[in-house]
Amino acid sequence: MDQDFMNRFMPRIHDVLFRDEDHWRSHAYQVAIHSTRMCNLGFVVRGYGVLEVNGNSYELGPGCFYQISPPGSRMKFSTDEADPLLYIAVHFDYRLVQWEGMDMSSKESGSAIPMPHMLALDAVSEVEEQFRRLHQLWNGKQPGYEWRSRILLMELLDGIERKQAAPSLAVLRAEEAIRKAMEHIHAHYKQPVNRDQMARNCSMSVSYFALLFKKIAGYSYVNYVHKVRMDKAKILLRSGLAPISEVAFEVGYQDPLYFSKLFSREVGLSPREYRKG
Amino acid sequence: MDQDFMNRFMPRIHDVLFRDEDHWRSHAYQVAIHSTRMCNLGFVVRGYGVLEVNGNSYELGPGCFYQISPPGSRMKFSTDEADPLLYIAVHFDYRLVQWEGMDMSSKESGSAIPMPHMLALDAVSEVEEQFRRLHQLWNGKQPGYEWRSRILLMELLDGIERKQAAPSLAVLRAEEAIRKAMEHIHAHYKQPVNRDQMARNCSMSVSYFALLFKKIAGYSYVNYVHKVRMDKAKILLRSGLAPISEVAFEVGYQDPLYFSKLFSREVGLSPREYRKG
């Protein structure tokens, strides 16, 4: 899952339902929504059917995960009368949260959840178990079920892509290269290789490298360098008494004013204030 | 932990540090902050010392949890030179998030995190393990560490109070009574006993009952009744074709307009829109 999305994802669950034969019978084995009002994701436990989202068709069967987003999508479920789809569905909406300095804001995303509309999962047991737990947790309504369900939904979303059928070797290699690039930044944060050079080192186009880096690290390459430096600076500020200018230099900035500006923008406190706790 | 707080809690972690002998040596075994800038919570692994928060003193030793909030607190750590405090500290700030209909807003809380400033924990191993995991997760900076650390911090906060030395029998009985009241609402949501009668049934004053109910359920008694009804209504709306007025009546409202108004305010969609998905 896109880590930048996960960092900012703040869902509100509306319901967690088990769709059974009764549901299909009462809907004549077909449900169509012209314009959805919220996000819907689910897991097929048994049966067969077809999901259409904005004109694309996906065949569903046991072990399939689906998601229908963003709100405003056109969708249609239809199922086999002889072997109707039994599935667990979660309806929710969400905001993306953003911190700037000391301010937090949130906005509607308007775009789809960054994952496929359908995935036929290989190892189903764990995801099915998570969906069943979510269904139980939500409908059990024990104290704390709301925030616990939120956490479970996040873990579920994050885990699903990793559980799908093995990705291609090319994708695995590309991801490994990004991880190496992240490690390089950690080891050489004072003066890491610049982005375009790094893309070349990874044998990727700059645009693909940039896209993949953001997806995996959750930050653009340049922002990730800043972030790692700020994290190092935080530790130095907290654990020693070195002057700010020395901390700035230590983490790769020649200009302590520039460092202080960046730090204040990211953290919401100046380095001096941060040190004071 | 207060469930209403947990439902709305949106933290941003700044750093997770291990405070060791070097730290104390360089600070002459004493750290004082006139006005803190963020929240601080931690767990003492070894050593002894004293924490002062806004004029109150707490003795710290192995197995102690502490928290210093809200920002703006006056605090002082001092430790024993012979056996200095070794502890894991998390610095963070947070906002409380609120949904109203389809809008999400967030605000600074300004008040302290609703838990004691210090707790000497009985069964330390699990909390200590959680703190160590958080330290490792945060400083390992693997993809996804930010939202995962956020989740771990939430679980940690929620778990700590339950892990403290056994609460008094009176507290356990009161909590059990609240749980029974919640179950009563679930079983009789169409017409539950009113709050004041319920407080009497529980042999509590109305104000204590109201306070404890909100803490455990995360909602006031009246709002919890509405919430349970709305949840039942959501299921009815999604799973059948009964007219709205029948759904309203089914969940305890004589007046379908009043029901629709409440539903729209809580969910952000009218019952009719909700049904359409």
Side-chain angles (χ1 to χ4, degrees):
Chain A
M1 192 64 178
D2 181 325
Q3 297 303 327
D4 179 45
F5 178 85
M6 292 302 294
N7 282 341
R8 299 169 60 202
F9 182 57
M10 185 73 181
R12 173 178 61 158
I13 297 177
H14 287 293
D15 54 38
V16 185
L17 303 167
F18 196 97
R19 293 304 201 186
D20 58 9
E21 285 96 339
D22 287 350
H23 168 71
W24 287 116
R25 211 171 300 123
S26 70
H27 285 85
Y29 302 92
Q30 189 166 307
V31 174
I33 298 179
H34 181 67
S35 169
T36 57
R37 298 291 180 159
M38 50 193 96
C39 302
N40 175 349
L41 64 87
F43 180 85
V44 178
V45 175
R46 234 179 64 194
Y48 295 88
V50 175
L51 169 64
E52 282 176 58
V53 183
N54 298 325
N56 297 308
S57 271
Y58 308 95
E59 299 208 12
L60 296 179
C64 284
F65 161 85
Y66 72 81
Q67 63 101 351
I68 304 164
S69 73
S73 296
R74 185 160 44 85
M75 74 95 156
K76 194 167 103 184
F77 269 113
S78 46
T79 190
D80 191 343
E81 208 165 318
D83 196 1
L85 279 173
L86 306 194
Y87 63 98
I88 300 170
V90 189
H91 293 95
F92 64 99
D93 49 61
Y94 70 94
R95 293 294 177 278
L96 294 178
V97 152
Q98 174 123 31
W99 288 87
E100 261 175 67
M102 277 295 183
D103 294 320
M104 191 183 100
S105 61
S106 66
K107 64 180 178 85
E108 281 189 72
S109 97
S111 50
I113 294 174
M115 62 195 308
H117 282 294
M118 202 280 280
L119 280 173
L121 298 169
D122 225 23
V124 298
S125 55
E126 198 181 339
V127 177
E128 177 167 349
E129 181 54 34
Q130 281 180 312
F131 268 95
R132 285 188 190 274
R133 257 193 11 239
L134 183 55
H135 181 256
Q136 205 170 28
L137 185 61
W138 182 261
N139 294 295
K141 310 283 182 209
Q142 291 297 306
Y145 76 96
E146 281 186 287
W147 66 269
R148 283 180 206 285
S149 296
R150 201 168 78 210
I151 287 179
L152 194 46
L153 176 61
M154 291 177 73
E155 285 171 348
L156 210 155
L157 274 179
D158 181 61
I160 280 167
E161 270 184 279
R162 271 182 285 122
K163 275 167 207 116
Q164 68 178 295
S168 72
L169 206 58
V171 168
L172 285 176
R173 276 207 191 116
E175 289 186 358
E176 180 58 24
I178 299 292
R179 267 170 241 275
K180 288 253 164 72
M182 289 169 71
E183 278 167 26
H184 168 85
I185 294 173
H186 277 277
H188 303 96
Y189 55 91
K190 228 172 143 169
Q191 209 162 7
V193 164
N194 75 39
R195 189 195 63 176
D196 295 6
Q197 181 58 49
M198 183 60 90
R200 278 192 295 278
N201 294 355
C202 295
S203 317
M204 292 182 209
S205 73
V206 170
S207 58
Y208 183 59
F209 176 82
L211 192 84
L212 204 59
F213 192 94
K214 174 121 201 237
K215 181 174 166 176
I216 293 176
Y219 296 87
S220 73
Y221 189 82
V222 170
N223 284 340
Y224 193 72
V225 171
H226 284 315
K227 178 158 182 60
V228 169
R229 287 170 166 184
M230 291 308 151
D231 280 337
K232 299 281 174 189
K234 282 174 175 178
I235 293 175
L236 291 175
L237 287 167
R238 285 260 188 228
S239 47
L241 302 166
I244 308 295
S245 59
E246 205 175 302
V247 171
F249 184 76
E250 236 0 271
V251 301
Y253 300 99
Q254 310 296 322
D255 178 356
L257 284 180
Y258 177 65
F259 162 74
S260 290
K261 222 174 83 184
L262 274 181
F263 190 96
S264 303
R265 203 172 62 194
E266 152 90 11
V267 180
L269 296 173
S270 71
R272 205 169 305 280
E273 288 173 318
Y274 192 86
R275 166 170 276 161
K276 285 198 208 130
Chain B
M1 191 64 178
D2 182 325
Q3 297 301 329
D4 179 45
F5 179 85
M6 290 302 292
N7 282 341
R8 300 169 61 202
F9 182 56
M10 184 72 181
R12 174 178 59 158
I13 298 176
H14 287 292
D15 55 38
V16 185
L17 303 166
F18 197 98
R19 294 305 204 184
D20 58 8
E21 286 96 339
D22 286 350
H23 168 72
W24 287 116
R25 213 170 300 123
S26 71
H27 286 84
Y29 302 93
Q30 190 166 306
V31 172
I33 298 179
H34 182 66
S35 170
T36 57
R37 298 290 181 158
M38 50 191 95
C39 302
N40 175 349
L41 65 85
F43 181 84
V44 178
V45 176
R46 233 180 64 196
Y48 295 88
V50 175
L51 168 65
E52 282 176 60
V53 183
N54 298 326
N56 296 308
S57 272
Y58 308 95
E59 298 209 12
L60 296 179
C64 284
F65 161 85
Y66 71 82
Q67 63 100 353
I68 305 163
S69 71
S73 295
R74 185 160 44 85
M75 73 95 154
K76 194 168 101 181
F77 269 113
S78 47
T79 192
D80 191 341
E81 208 165 319
D83 196 0
L85 280 173
L86 306 194
Y87 63 99
I88 299 171
V90 189
H91 293 94
F92 63 99
D93 49 61
Y94 70 94
R95 294 294 177 277
L96 294 178
V97 153
Q98 174 122 30
W99 287 87
E100 263 176 67
M102 277 294 182
D103 294 320
M104 189 182 102
S105 61
S106 66
K107 63 182 180 87
E108 282 189 74
S109 98
S111 51
I113 293 172
M115 62 194 308
H117 283 293
M118 202 280 280
L119 281 172
L121 298 170
D122 227 24
V124 298
S125 55
E126 199 180 339
V127 177
E128 177 166 349
E129 182 53 34
Q130 283 180 311
F131 267 96
R132 286 189 188 273
R133 255 192 13 239
L134 183 56
H135 182 257
Q136 207 167 25
L137 185 60
W138 182 261
N139 295 294
K141 309 284 182 208
Q142 291 296 308
Y145 76 96
E146 280 186 286
W147 66 270
R148 283 180 206 284
S149 297
R150 200 168 79 210
I151 286 179
L152 193 46
L153 177 61
M154 292 177 72
E155 285 172 347
L156 210 156
L157 274 179
D158 181 62
I160 280 169
E161 269 185 279
R162 273 183 283 122
K163 276 168 206 116
Q164 68 179 295
S168 72
L169 205 57
V171 168
L172 284 176
R173 274 204 191 118
E175 290 186 358
E176 180 59 22
I178 298 293
R179 267 170 240 274
K180 286 251 165 71
M182 289 169 70
E183 278 166 27
H184 168 85
I185 295 174
H186 278 276
H188 303 94
Y189 56 90
K190 228 172 143 168
Q191 210 163 7
V193 163
N194 75 37
R195 187 195 63 175
D196 295 6
Q197 181 59 47
M198 183 60 90
R200 278 193 294 277
N201 294 355
C202 294
S203 317
M204 291 183 209
S205 73
V206 171
S207 58
Y208 183 59
F209 176 81
L211 191 84
L212 205 57
F213 192 94
K214 173 121 203 237
K215 181 176 165 172
I216 292 175
Y219 296 88
S220 74
Y221 189 80
V222 171
N223 284 339
Y224 192 73
V225 171
H226 285 313
K227 178 159 183 59
V228 169
R229 289 169 163 184
M230 293 306 150
D231 280 336
K232 299 280 175 192
K234 282 175 175 179
I235 291 174
L236 292 175
L237 287 168
R238 285 259 187 228
S239 47
L241 301 167
I244 307 295
S245 58
E246 204 176 303
V247 171
F249 184 76
E250 236 0 90
V251 301
Y253 300 100
Q254 311 295 324
D255 178 355
L257 284 179
Y258 177 64
F259 163 73
S260 290
K261 220 175 85 184
L262 273 182
F263 190 94
S264 302
R265 202 173 63 196
E266 152 90 9
V267 182
L269 296 172
S270 72
R272 205 168 305 281
E273 290 173 316
Y274 192 84
R275 165 169 276 161
K276 285 199 209 128

